[in-house]
Amino acid sequence: MTTQNLLVELFVEELPPKALKKLGDAFAGVLFDQLKAQGLAGADAAVTAFASPRRLAAHVTAVAARAADKAVSQKLMPVSVGLDASGQATPALLKRLAGLGADASAVAGLKRAPDGKAEALFYDSVVPGADLAVGLQKALDEALAKLPIPKVMTYQLQTDCELPGWSSVQFVRPAHGLVALHGANVVPVKALGLTAGNSTHGHRFEAAVDPVQLADADAYAATLLRDGAVIASFAERKAEIVRQLAAAAAKVGGGCQPIEDDALLDEVTALVERPNVLICEFEKQFLDVPQECLILTMKANQKYFPLVDTQGKLTNKFLVVSNISPDDASAVIGGNERVVRPRLADAKFFFDQDRKKTLESRVQGLSKVVYHNKLGTQGERMERVCSIAETIGLQLGGAELAGQSLLAARLAKTDLLTDMVGEFPELQGIMGGYYARQDGLGDTVAQAIEDHYKPRFAGDELPRNMTGVVVALADKLETLVGMFGIGNLPTGDKDPFALRRHALGVIRMLVEKDLPLNLGSLVASAVPAFGDKITDATTALTDFVYDRLAGSLREQGYSAQEVDAVLALRPQRLADVGQRLHAVRAFAALPEAPALAAANKRIGNILKKSEGQGSAVQESLLVETAEQALFAAMQATVPAANTQFEAGDYTASLQALAALRAPVDAFFDGVMVNAEDPALKANRLGLLKTLHEAMNRVADLSRLAA
């Protein structure tokens, strides 16, 4: 069967830039999958997605004009239903055959084959392969229907419809052209009131010809670039922007580099069809404003790439990715410089106005900002965070740390009332740090205010100093305890208060900062700060944190068994969890591990059934040789294992217990635990209980049993 390459393009008005890459990949992916499902594209076929501001396209290799015919064997019904006693077809069978386009003459060709306990009739037929025009129409309809469009537009068709000017369709943006080429041949498909052809449109301003005629499917990208001044491939356009940004930064000199921001790069790639990077600048006086403000306004509002020097300090130069390439770019450069100036002036004005008031003077205003209808105002929240921070500070560093933490917690949310944060909410915390230094509060408190939201996301850095750690812990605990206390829990993929992220933040600080804090008592200590506003949900919240921890550990490469074994004990000091996991992994590699894990599980089951029946071990009641040997081995092994456990050497502790394998096996082979003599039974249960406790201090080893 001969094949040719296929090109499908939908030409539209400017698509949403933040969604363009996803739209392009989805369009090409669904179209390709549908063609393969219909047998029009073979196993060796490949798809290339194209996406520019005004087009979605897909190039598929090795597409057949018609799919191969397919032999199909269809089960009809049991023989007892389809044939009567004389072997003639029943009305039910004839009706079923008629539904498949066959008549009574097909009865003789039916096959009999076992189907479960009965014998069934099967009809063999050949299904004609799909024609490309029909198959592509189905694939195109499916691709458009499955595009991840958050909101659609409804617009009226002017041509090729029942009621011009009245008939309407829905799509992400109005569509104005459709191309479908199989080799050099147009495939007659339709979509959104458009009929496929072999011409498209290039750059809105710089196309050499319009419309752009496509000779065949393989000429698409090259023809669009040559005649239409459009780089159709999203990836190629992005790479060209990166190349031009680097070249422009090198031209500026001084080691300058553009800010790295993949989201901004993707968005700008989705805004231009043929990029042209230009160097612009602004007045140096604006550099007195915190650089985070200037960078944010240039990136978020103008889609510019600020340039920073080798120390990471902002310069007064920035790069613009233009969609046009005039011979004289001075007007474009001047226009962008003129547009950015008011943005920077606004930032400077907000900064100057905010510095006229101290953070302390804004504290009272927090009582006028509602935090949650069940949990009160931001002022009440601030008081709770202060209480929790003071408690944690006293535990970690005494009165000095508690005092600094209390001050930082008191002022941490006051920047929410500043003009700068009101305009740029992303700068909360960061601006608080600047204003704290302006107020003479010192770097420790300023950094704590700036860092108390950290970690904001996976992989984010932790607070830089211990005061920041205390306030960040208190802030996250207040959110977790409060939301759990009013029953506002995350469900499915909905987590409006980012409780999962807060829990992971608490875990990371406890573990990576090696804090000597117990999780249960830490959570419980935060509850009194709420008074009667909440119900105590300490147990549920603690379980939630352990669930987050388990997921995080599995992502780090630990097995589900290893994680389950360690977390089954609910270790209160999370900083030790890593050491426990290393110890469990080392223990599991020992040849004695499987037998000891199985024995440990068996002991646990015995003790569970005999709860409360054991007693302290009396050596005089150890009458069997095997139990005497086990007791002696425990006397020689357990104290050393306990000493190593207390010293934090969990690996050595578990490995010391490996010596108990032989006496444990011998005990179960030669000793009846449930002896008729109550004293012997209680003594043996006591022996097993002591063994069980010794073996499960690092982890629940029974969870390692197969």
Side-chain angles (χ1 to χ4, degrees), residues 164-201:
W166 291 92
S167 296
S168 62
V169 292
Q170 290 186 325
F171 194 55
V172 59
R173 292 291 185 271
H176 296 291
L178 179 64
V179 174
L181 288 175
H182 187 230
N185 302 316
V186 174
V187 184
V189 293
K190 293 186 176 184
L192 304 173
L194 302 167
T195 301
N198 63 350
S199 65
T200 184
H201 301 276

Side-chain angles (χ1 to χ4, degrees), residues 302-557:
Q302 303 302 133
K303 315 306 175 190
Y304 297 159
F305 287 85
L307 288 174
V308 294
D309 61 20
T310 53
Q311 278 76 45
K313 291 190 65 177
L314 183 68
T315 69
N316 70 320
K317 300 282 198 302
F318 61 94
L319 303 179
V320 174
V321 183
S322 173
N323 193 36
I324 56 176
S325 304
D327 294 333
D328 180 6
S330 58
V332 180
I333 293 171
N336 280 283
E337 290 177 346
R338 186 170 60 253
V339 167
V340 80
R341 197 170 292 120
R343 296 284 189 183
L344 303 183
D346 286 347
K348 188 175 188 305
F349 174 77
F350 293 144
F351 184 57
D352 291 340
Q353 289 298 110
D354 287 343
R355 288 186 295 171
K356 293 178 181 179
K357 294 179 68 175
T358 64
L359 292 181
E360 181 62 41
S361 69
R362 299 179 186 274
V363 171
Q364 198 65 33
L366 291 173
S367 62
K368 299 175 183 177
V369 180
V370 174
Y371 167 56
H372 191 281
N373 62 342
K374 293 183 179 179
L375 297 174
T377 64
Q378 283 286 3
E380 292 174 283
R381 181 169 188 244
M382 176 269 294
E383 291 173 359
R384 293 193 294 267
V385 174
C386 284
S387 173
I388 299 167
E390 187 175 23
T391 301
I392 297 172
L394 285 170
Q395 293 180 65
L396 293 178
E400 183 179 355
L401 180 57
Q404 287 183 326
S405 302
L406 185 61
L407 176 59
R410 176 176 170 79
L411 302 177
K413 301 298 181 186
T414 52
D415 68 351
L416 296 176
L417 304 178
T418 63
D419 292 339
M420 188 69 85
V421 173
E423 181 71 14
F424 303 111
E426 300 93 332
L427 296 177
Q428 55 188 285
I430 294 171
M431 295 313 302
Y434 277 105
Y435 297 143
R437 291 184 182 90
Q438 169 77 22
D439 294 348
L441 297 177
D443 279 346
T444 300
V445 172
Q447 287 180 357
I449 291 173
E450 182 178 343
D451 292 351
H452 83 279
Y453 289 105
K454 295 179 180 177
R456 289 182 170 91
F457 50 83
D460 191 19
E461 62 184 15
L462 299 181
R464 287 164 286 181
N465 60 49
M466 192 52 69
T467 303
V469 170
V470 170
V471 179
L473 267 176
D475 185 63
K476 289 170 175 55
L477 282 170
E478 191 279 338
T479 301
L480 288 164
V481 171
M483 291 302 160
F484 268 76
I486 61 173
N488 200 344
L489 311 182
T491 55
D493 60 349
K494 294 182 180 178
D495 187 8
F497 290 92
L499 302 187
R500 296 184 180 98
R501 177 166 55 81
H502 283 314
L504 286 171
V506 170
I507 290 166
R508 281 192 60 198
M509 284 185 279
L510 290 175
V511 172
E512 295 178 32
K513 294 293 184 179
D514 196 18
L515 300 182
L517 298 172
N518 288 346
L519 178 62
S521 57
L522 184 65
V523 172
S525 68
V527 174
F530 288 85
D532 59 357
K533 286 185 179 292
I534 65 169
T535 56
D536 189 347
T538 299
T539 301
L541 176 53
T542 305
D543 288 343
F544 178 75
V545 173
Y546 280 119
D547 285 343
R548 297 297 101 204
L549 176 58
S552 174
L553 293 171
R554 287 193 291 270
E555 288 175 3
Q556 293 173 39

Side-chain angles (χ1 to χ4, degrees), residues 87-247:
Q88 298 300 309
T90 63
L93 177 59
L94 294 175
K95 184 176 180 181
R96 181 68 191 279
L97 287 171
L100 296 173
D103 55 23
S105 63
V107 174
L110 296 181
K111 290 184 179 178
R112 297 187 180 199
D115 182 49
K117 294 182 179 180
E119 192 177 28
L121 294 171
F122 290 84
Y123 174 59
D124 292 341
S125 61
V126 176
V127 177
D131 180 74
L132 179 58
V134 176
L136 180 58
Q137 184 67 63
K138 179 181 177 182
L140 182 58
D141 291 343
E142 192 75 8
L144 295 178
K146 289 188 175 180
L147 281 179
I149 305 172
K151 290 184 180 180
V152 297
M153 292 179 64
T154 300
Y155 60 96
Q156 284 69 46
L157 300 176
Q158 301 300 325
T159 59
D160 198 16
C161 61
E162 185 179 351
L163 297 171
W166 291 92
S167 296
S168 62
V169 292
Q170 290 186 325
F171 194 55
V172 59
R173 292 291 185 271
H176 296 291
L178 179 64
V179 174
L181 288 175
H182 187 230
N185 302 316
V186 174
V187 184
V189 293
K190 293 186 176 184
L192 304 173
L194 302 167
T195 301
N198 63 350
S199 65
T200 184
H201 301 276
H203 195 287
R204 191 179 283 277
F205 307 111
E206 299 186 346
V209 296
D210 187 60
V212 176
Q213 297 293 328
L214 302 172
D216 57 48
D218 293 342
Y220 177 68
T223 305
L224 259 184
L225 181 59
R226 184 188 68 239
D227 297 342
V230 171
I231 301 175
S233 167
F234 189 95
E236 290 179 16
R237 210 162 55 252
K238 182 176 179 178
E240 176 62 14
I241 292 173
V242 171
R243 186 193 67 77
Q244 290 191 35
L245 288 173

